[in-house]
Amino acid sequence: MELIGLVCTAVTVLTPLVLALFVGSWIERRHLHALAQREALLGSMLVTDLRTFPQHEPGTPPPQMIVGEVVIGCDYFKAFLASWKLLFGGRVGSYQRVVDRARREAVLRVLEQARALGYNAVCNLRIESADVGGNTQQSRMPMSAVLAFGTAYMARQETTVPGWQPQSQAESLTRS
Amino acid sequence: MLVVNTETIPGYRIVALRGLVQGNTVRAKHLGRDIAAGLKNLVGGELRGYTELLTESRREAMQRMIAQAQQLGANAVVNVRFSTSAVTQGAAELYVYGTAVVVEPETPAASEAQPL
């Protein structure tokens, strides 16, 4: 009887962990792949966090503020790993990826909306971590909520400053 | 209503200031959403219920801010900022604020250009 109890406990504890490990990492890989593809499409947009309007084209439609937000959760397996990491300290890579994905997704939503409206530039892009339902004190469900906003406007086509650097590209530059 | 998060609007001149306008919403996530998000959190990925919650509260807060600006007779809000805070566990506030102004186009060409 004791053995059966032990097996049952092991199954209830391990099943979510194994499920989270495989499905979670698959979801993350798919998301990162989609992010890279979508960022590549927006390479021609002039994106800055300047409060002025670089290369603004006079006589074009007035600018408009655009907001994008996303909430991304961390899977059970990563949270489990991180809880061990928190004992010893150091870089928590799994959480870092979750925060990074949320930020890139929120920025992409702003840029995609701007492009859909016909704008070709975004300035004063701000990224803020939002809070959903007071999650700050709640450690059992790690998640990252990001609110990104910027002003979309029309810029002259010939860009003298390099356009927006997708993060995937910027990362590979610093690594090499 | 022109809404931007920059201090100026190219092609427009600020002719009058109408003061600070603000809008806020405090939203609590409900149990159904919590359960769904809890299940989704097992495998990670986007928690759509919470994203929608954030979008809804942002829209409502912005509508309040814009209504205030209209009441003051402004036709634009500049330098808009967002800020969020946790009121208690389970409820979050989204606060949006900006400066209501009256703008007029600098050139006749700009007055013809409609917002996209």
Side-chain angles (χ1 to χ4, degrees):
Chain A
M1 274 318 269
E2 265 178 32
L3 191 72
I4 296 170
L6 205 68
V7 168
C8 283
T9 321
V11 165
T12 44
V13 170
L14 286 177
T15 311
L17 265 184
V18 172
L19 185 79
L21 170 62
F22 288 106
V23 184
S25 59
W26 176 70
I27 288 178
E28 183 172 87
R29 250 181 294 127
R30 204 181 53 165
H31 190 211
L32 285 171
H33 186 69
L35 282 174
Q37 271 185 337
R38 286 158 66 200
E39 278 171 351
L41 288 175
L42 292 160
S44 62
M45 277 191 109
L46 180 65
V47 183
T48 57
D49 66 349
L50 300 171
R51 293 196 286 191
T52 53
F53 291 79
Q55 300 185 2
H56 177 259
E57 176 91 71
T60 49
Q64 191 182 327
M65 189 174 79
I66 291 177
V67 194
E69 58 265 285
V70 73
V71 183
I72 284 186
C74 173
D75 68 60
Y76 188 60
F77 183 74
K78 282 207 205 92
F80 179 76
L81 275 189
S83 65
W84 280 102
K85 202 64 183 266
L86 292 178
L87 283 179
F88 304 106
R91 203 177 80 114
V92 189
S94 51
Y95 279 173
Q96 206 174 301
R97 269 197 300 280
V98 171
V99 177
D100 179 60
R101 270 163 64 205
R103 210 168 278 141
R104 282 166 72 183
E105 178 72 41
V107 170
L108 268 178
R109 285 185 185 181
V110 171
L111 301 184
E112 280 171 350
Q113 270 182 74
R115 171 155 287 186
L117 287 166
Y119 292 106
N120 64 2
V122 174
C123 69
N124 206 11
L125 186 76
R126 302 278 142 141
I127 305 165
E128 260 194 53
S129 60
D131 188 19
V132 208
N135 270 298
T136 40
Q137 300 105 340
Q138 216 169 350
S139 58
R140 75 186 159 88
M141 244 164 67
M143 61 174 86
S144 176
V146 174
L147 183 86
F149 55 107
T151 301
Y153 67 102
M154 302 288 266
R156 280 195 305 277
Q157 279 302 327
E158 3 79 73
T159 37
T160 45
V161 277
W164 179 55
Q165 283 278 338
Q167 201 163 331
S168 49
Q169 213 175 314
E171 253 170 38
S172 63
L173 282 175
T174 48
R175 270 188 199 140
S176 59
Chain B
M1 181 72 68
L2 284 171
V3 180
V4 294
N5 71 337
T6 49
E7 280 134 56
T8 54
I9 308 175
Y12 290 81
R13 197 175 36 233
I14 294 170
V15 289
L17 287 168
R18 290 281 183 263
L20 192 76
V21 285
Q22 55 215 334
N24 72 338
T25 44
V26 178
R27 288 230 171 192
K29 37 185 199 174
H30 63 77
L31 203 63
R33 260 183 184 147
D34 239 5
I35 292 166
L39 285 175
K40 187 71 208 277
N41 224 32
L42 186 68
V43 291
E46 187 185 343
L47 308 171
R48 290 232 162 70
Y50 286 168
T51 307
E52 275 163 28
L53 184 81
L54 199 55
T55 310
E56 280 164 26
S57 32
R58 190 254 303 165
R59 280 220 183 104
E60 203 176 311
M62 274 184 75
Q63 270 165 11
R64 286 187 189 174
M65 181 187 74
I66 289 168
Q68 227 180 71
Q70 276 165 343
Q71 229 171 30
L72 293 168
N75 62 0
V77 183
V78 295
N79 214 5
V80 174
R81 308 264 159 109
F82 286 96
S83 104
T84 57
S85 58
V87 180
T88 56
Q89 222 179 71
E93 188 202 22
L94 196 113
Y95 181 58
V96 57
Y97 56 106
T99 303
V101 292
V102 178
V103 294
E104 65 179 29
E106 273 171 353
T107 53
S111 64
E112 280 161 28
Q114 287 300 306
L116 289 174

